[in-house]
Short mmCIF file of all heavy atoms in Angstrom, two decimals:
data_model
loop_
_atom_site.label_atom_id
_atom_site.label_comp_id
_atom_site.label_asym_id
_atom_site.label_seq_id
_atom_site.Cartn_x
_atom_site.Cartn_y
_atom_site.Cartn_z
N TYR G 36 9.28 176.01 -137.64
CA TYR G 36 9.96 176.74 -138.72
C TYR G 36 11.13 177.52 -138.14
O TYR G 36 11.07 178.01 -137.05
CB TYR G 36 9.00 177.74 -139.41
CG TYR G 36 8.01 177.08 -140.33
CD1 TYR G 36 6.86 176.44 -139.87
CD2 TYR G 36 8.23 177.10 -141.71
CE1 TYR G 36 5.97 175.84 -140.73
CE2 TYR G 36 7.33 176.51 -142.58
CZ TYR G 36 6.22 175.90 -142.10
OH TYR G 36 5.33 175.28 -142.91
N GLN G 38 13.65 180.82 -138.87
CA GLN G 38 13.75 182.02 -139.66
C GLN G 38 15.04 182.76 -139.27
O GLN G 38 15.16 183.27 -138.17
CB GLN G 38 12.52 182.92 -139.44
CG GLN G 38 12.50 184.13 -140.36
CD GLN G 38 11.19 184.93 -140.26
OE1 GLN G 38 10.49 184.87 -139.25
NE2 GLN G 38 10.86 185.68 -141.31
N SER G 43 13.09 184.38 -145.02
CA SER G 43 11.74 183.87 -144.80
C SER G 43 11.79 182.55 -144.02
O SER G 43 12.84 181.90 -143.98
CB SER G 43 11.01 183.67 -146.14
OG SER G 43 11.78 182.81 -146.98
N PRO G 44 10.70 182.17 -143.39
CA PRO G 44 10.69 180.93 -142.57
C PRO G 44 10.89 179.71 -143.45
O PRO G 44 10.42 179.65 -144.59
CB PRO G 44 9.30 180.95 -141.94
CG PRO G 44 8.84 182.34 -142.01
CD PRO G 44 9.43 182.88 -143.28
N LEU G 46 10.66 175.29 -143.07
CA LEU G 46 10.25 174.20 -142.21
C LEU G 46 11.45 173.31 -141.84
O LEU G 46 12.24 172.96 -142.68
CB LEU G 46 9.20 173.34 -142.94
CG LEU G 46 8.64 172.19 -142.14
CD1 LEU G 46 7.74 172.69 -141.04
CD2 LEU G 46 7.89 171.22 -143.07
N ASP G 95 -11.62 177.02 -137.69
CA ASP G 95 -12.64 177.96 -137.20
C ASP G 95 -13.94 177.23 -137.02
O ASP G 95 -14.04 176.00 -137.22
CB ASP G 95 -12.71 179.18 -138.11
CG ASP G 95 -13.24 178.83 -139.49
OD1 ASP G 95 -13.77 177.72 -139.70
OD2 ASP G 95 -13.06 179.66 -140.40
N ASN G 99 -12.93 175.62 -141.39
CA ASN G 99 -11.87 176.11 -142.26
C ASN G 99 -10.53 176.02 -141.49
O ASN G 99 -10.43 176.43 -140.33
CB ASN G 99 -12.13 177.50 -142.71
CG ASN G 99 -13.38 177.62 -143.54
OD1 ASN G 99 -13.60 176.82 -144.43
ND2 ASN G 99 -14.24 178.60 -143.23
N GLU G 100 -9.54 175.51 -142.18
CA GLU G 100 -8.25 175.30 -141.56
C GLU G 100 -7.28 176.40 -141.89
O GLU G 100 -7.24 176.88 -143.01
CB GLU G 100 -7.65 173.94 -142.00
CG GLU G 100 -6.32 173.60 -141.42
CD GLU G 100 -5.76 172.29 -141.99
OE1 GLU G 100 -6.37 171.79 -142.97
OE2 GLU G 100 -4.78 171.79 -141.46
N LYS G 101 -6.47 176.79 -140.94
CA LYS G 101 -5.38 177.71 -141.22
C LYS G 101 -4.19 177.33 -140.28
O LYS G 101 -4.38 176.72 -139.28
CB LYS G 101 -5.78 179.15 -140.99
CG LYS G 101 -6.08 179.50 -139.56
CD LYS G 101 -6.49 180.98 -139.40
CE LYS G 101 -6.81 181.32 -137.98
NZ LYS G 101 -7.22 182.72 -137.84
N LEU G 102 -3.03 177.70 -140.73
CA LEU G 102 -1.83 177.46 -139.91
C LEU G 102 -1.57 178.70 -139.10
O LEU G 102 -1.34 179.77 -139.64
CB LEU G 102 -0.67 177.15 -140.86
CG LEU G 102 0.48 176.34 -140.24
CD1 LEU G 102 0.00 175.03 -139.71
CD2 LEU G 102 1.56 176.14 -141.31
N PHE G 104 0.68 180.71 -136.31
CA PHE G 104 2.06 180.76 -135.86
C PHE G 104 2.15 181.47 -134.51
O PHE G 104 1.41 182.42 -134.22
CB PHE G 104 2.92 181.58 -136.86
CG PHE G 104 3.25 180.79 -138.10
CD1 PHE G 104 2.36 180.72 -139.13
CD2 PHE G 104 4.51 180.22 -138.28
CE1 PHE G 104 2.66 180.02 -140.32
CE2 PHE G 104 4.84 179.52 -139.42
CZ PHE G 104 3.90 179.43 -140.44
N TYR Z 35 0.57 185.95 -145.35
CA TYR Z 35 0.80 186.30 -143.98
C TYR Z 35 1.41 187.69 -143.93
O TYR Z 35 2.17 188.12 -144.78
CB TYR Z 35 1.77 185.32 -143.33
CG TYR Z 35 1.18 183.97 -143.04
CD1 TYR Z 35 1.15 182.99 -144.02
CD2 TYR Z 35 0.63 183.64 -141.80
CE1 TYR Z 35 0.63 181.75 -143.79
CE2 TYR Z 35 0.09 182.39 -141.55
CZ TYR Z 35 0.12 181.46 -142.58
OH TYR Z 35 -0.42 180.22 -142.31
N GLN Z 37 3.86 189.93 -141.49
CA GLN Z 37 4.81 189.74 -140.39
C GLN Z 37 5.30 191.11 -139.91
O GLN Z 37 5.82 191.90 -140.69
CB GLN Z 37 6.00 188.87 -140.78
CG GLN Z 37 6.91 188.57 -139.60
CD GLN Z 37 7.99 187.53 -139.92
OE1 GLN Z 37 8.52 187.55 -141.01
NE2 GLN Z 37 8.28 186.67 -138.95
N PHE Z 45 -2.05 185.50 -140.08
CA PHE Z 45 -2.69 184.93 -141.27
C PHE Z 45 -3.62 185.91 -141.92
O PHE Z 45 -4.51 186.46 -141.22
CB PHE Z 45 -3.39 183.65 -140.86
CG PHE Z 45 -4.20 182.97 -141.94
CD1 PHE Z 45 -3.59 182.24 -142.89
CD2 PHE Z 45 -5.56 183.11 -141.97
CE1 PHE Z 45 -4.32 181.60 -143.92
CE2 PHE Z 45 -6.35 182.48 -142.92
CZ PHE Z 45 -5.70 181.74 -143.91
N ARG Z 55 -10.52 180.10 -149.21
CA ARG Z 55 -11.07 179.12 -148.29
C ARG Z 55 -11.10 179.60 -146.82
O ARG Z 55 -11.87 179.10 -146.04
CB ARG Z 55 -10.25 177.84 -148.36
CG ARG Z 55 -10.45 177.05 -149.59
CD ARG Z 55 -10.00 175.64 -149.43
NE ARG Z 55 -8.59 175.49 -149.18
CZ ARG Z 55 -7.92 174.36 -149.26
NH1 ARG Z 55 -8.55 173.25 -149.59
NH2 ARG Z 55 -6.63 174.29 -149.00
N ASN Z 56 -10.24 180.52 -146.52
CA ASN Z 56 -10.14 180.96 -145.13
C ASN Z 56 -9.61 182.38 -145.12
O ASN Z 56 -8.85 182.78 -146.00
CB ASN Z 56 -9.24 180.03 -144.32
CG ASN Z 56 -9.55 180.07 -142.83
OD1 ASN Z 56 -10.31 180.92 -142.37
ND2 ASN Z 56 -8.90 179.18 -142.10
N GLY Z 100 -8.25 171.32 -146.60
CA GLY Z 100 -7.55 172.47 -146.02
C GLY Z 100 -6.10 172.43 -146.33
O GLY Z 100 -5.62 171.68 -147.13
N ILE Z 101 -5.38 173.27 -145.61
CA ILE Z 101 -3.95 173.38 -145.78
C ILE Z 101 -3.34 172.10 -145.25
O ILE Z 101 -3.55 171.69 -144.11
CB ILE Z 101 -3.38 174.58 -145.03
CG1 ILE Z 101 -4.03 175.84 -145.51
CG2 ILE Z 101 -1.87 174.60 -145.18
CD1 ILE Z 101 -3.70 177.06 -144.70
N GLU Z 104 3.63 170.87 -145.88
CA GLU Z 104 4.61 171.92 -145.66
C GLU Z 104 4.25 173.21 -146.40
O GLU Z 104 3.82 173.14 -147.54
CB GLU Z 104 5.96 171.39 -146.11
CG GLU Z 104 7.08 172.39 -146.01
CD GLU Z 104 8.40 171.76 -146.44
OE1 GLU Z 104 8.41 170.56 -146.79
OE2 GLU Z 104 9.44 172.48 -146.44
N LEU Z 105 4.43 174.32 -145.73
CA LEU Z 105 4.33 175.59 -146.37
C LEU Z 105 5.73 176.02 -146.84
O LEU Z 105 6.67 175.97 -146.08
CB LEU Z 105 3.79 176.68 -145.40
CG LEU Z 105 2.34 176.61 -145.01
CD1 LEU Z 105 1.99 177.83 -144.12
CD2 LEU Z 105 1.42 176.59 -146.24
N PHE Z 107 7.71 179.26 -148.15
CA PHE Z 107 7.55 180.71 -148.13
C PHE Z 107 8.40 181.39 -149.23
O PHE Z 107 9.50 180.91 -149.53
CB PHE Z 107 7.96 181.29 -146.79
CG PHE Z 107 6.94 181.08 -145.72
CD1 PHE Z 107 6.96 179.94 -144.92
CD2 PHE Z 107 5.98 182.04 -145.45
CE1 PHE Z 107 6.00 179.73 -143.94
CE2 PHE Z 107 5.03 181.87 -144.45
CZ PHE Z 107 5.06 180.70 -143.69
N GLY Z 108 7.85 182.47 -149.76
CA GLY Z 108 8.66 183.32 -150.60
C GLY Z 108 9.52 184.25 -149.75
O GLY Z 108 9.45 184.23 -148.52
#
Side-chain angles (χ1 to χ4, degrees):
Chain G
Y36 283 80
Q38 186 173 23
S43 56
L46 182 71
D95 63 17
N99 297 313
E100 180 183 11
K101 65 180 180 182
L102 203 58
F104 285 80
Chain Z
Y35 288 84
Q37 188 172 36
F45 175 77
R55 287 199 296 195
N56 202 351
I101 301 171
E104 177 178 359
L105 287 185
F107 284 88

